[in-house]
Amino acid sequence: MALNGPQKTVVQLVGVVVLMGGLAWASVPFYDWFCRVTGFGGVTQVATGDSATVLDQTIKVRFDASKDRGMPWEFKPVERIMELKIGETGLAFYEAYNPTDRPVAGQASYNVAPYSAGYYFEKIQCFCFNEQVLQPGERVMMPVTFFVDPEITKDPEAKFVHTITLSYTFHEIDLPEGLAALDTGETSGAEIELN
């Protein structure tokens, strides 16, 4: 069956819409993968353990904290700057406090500046990997364990970096289901145990 002019145009337009929708749907996971592989946009890497090599060369790591609009927590780094050897494992803490009279859940987003250093900033453990819930009046110290990969000294763009800034922004998120029910008083007859 041959399509006439208007039918052919409709089929082509539907094809373009489907193609664009598919590309839009695939762009988010592809961009996330691209940033993790290349460190683009200051995305850091995740390490399973300490670096095997520690150089005599040092690098400074600055710590920055901010909150999304409407996030009621107080959030700040305990130490603003740390100097360590490239490849040496560092441990930094951020302090969070919930001054409200209700539980508040949060998730941290992060990046590294300059962007060229993101690929070499390796996190071993970080509070940003999980959502955090603070009870009313609760204050916590949240650790991040990291190192700067010695391979940074071989990268033509990153080898002259002397200071790296690690930034976190906390965003309020919905409470986990069990806590949300407790917060509103909607338990379904059964007690909810919190571990």
Side-chain angles (χ1 to χ4, degrees), residues 36 41 45 103 120 129 139:
R36 291 192 185 284
Q45 304 301 305
Y120 302 100
F129 296 160
R139 183 180 307 270

Side-chain angles (χ1 to χ4, degrees), residues 42-119:
V43 174
T44 64
Q45 304 301 305
V46 178
T48 56
D50 297 341
S51 172
T53 306
V54 177
L55 305 178
D56 285 332
Q57 185 178 344
T58 62
I59 195 161
K60 291 180 182 175
V61 179
R62 290 186 27 196
F63 303 99
D64 182 47
S66 62
K67 303 177 298 178
D68 193 27
R69 174 176 279 158
M71 177 55 148
W73 290 0
E74 294 174 11
F75 177 59
K76 65 182 180 182
V78 173
E79 189 175 355
R80 292 270 177 205
I81 194 162
M82 178 184 294
E83 186 168 354
L84 47 126
K85 292 180 179 180
I86 294 177
E88 177 183 4
T89 299
L91 174 63
F93 288 92
Y94 280 76
E95 181 180 340
Y97 171 64
N98 178 5
T100 70
D101 60 354
R102 63 183 174 85
V104 177
Q107 180 77 49
S109 60
Y110 56 87
N111 72 357
V112 169
Y115 291 160
S116 60
Y119 183 75

Side-chain angles (χ1 to χ4, degrees), residues 5-186:
Q7 290 173 331
K8 191 175 183 181
T9 302
V10 169
V11 168
Q12 288 174 338
L13 285 175
V14 168
V16 167
V17 168
V18 169
L19 176 67
M20 294 303 238
L23 290 174
W25 176 81
S27 66
V28 172
F30 178 75
Y31 183 75
D32 182 58
W33 169 82
F34 174 78
C35 289
R36 291 192 185 284
V37 168
T38 64
F40 181 78
V43 174
T44 64
Q45 304 301 305
V46 178
T48 56
D50 297 341
S51 172
T53 306
V54 177
L55 305 178
D56 285 332
Q57 185 178 344
T58 62
I59 195 161
K60 291 180 182 175
V61 179
R62 290 186 27 196
F63 303 99
D64 182 47
S66 62
K67 303 177 298 178
D68 193 27
R69 174 176 279 158
M71 177 55 148
W73 290 0
E74 294 174 11
F75 177 59
K76 65 182 180 182
V78 173
E79 189 175 355
R80 292 270 177 205
I81 194 162
M82 178 184 294
E83 186 168 354
L84 47 126
K85 292 180 179 180
I86 294 177
E88 177 183 4
T89 299
L91 174 63
F93 288 92
Y94 280 76
E95 181 180 340
Y97 171 64
N98 178 5
T100 70
D101 60 354
R102 63 183 174 85
V104 177
Q107 180 77 49
S109 60
Y110 56 87
N111 72 357
V112 169
Y115 291 160
S116 60
Y119 183 75
Y120 302 100
F121 197 92
E122 301 271 354
K123 291 182 184 175
I124 299 169
Q125 182 59 282
C126 181
F127 61 88
C128 59
F129 296 160
N130 305 307
E131 65 183 35
Q132 306 292 324
V133 178
L134 295 184
Q135 297 301 318
E138 184 177 10
R139 183 180 307 270
V140 296
M141 302 295 269
M142 298 183 293
V144 56
T145 308
F146 64 92
F147 65 89
V148 177
D149 189 335
E151 291 295 312
I152 194 172
T153 60
K154 298 176 185 172
D155 185 309
E157 289 185 38
K159 68 181 178 181
F160 298 109
V161 171
H162 301 292
T163 302
I164 295 174
T165 302
L166 176 62
S167 298
Y168 289 99
T169 302
F170 251 107
H171 309 269
E172 186 172 1
I173 59 174
D174 292 335
L175 284 169
E177 198 171 303
L179 285 173
L182 285 176
D183 188 40
T184 61
E186 297 174 6

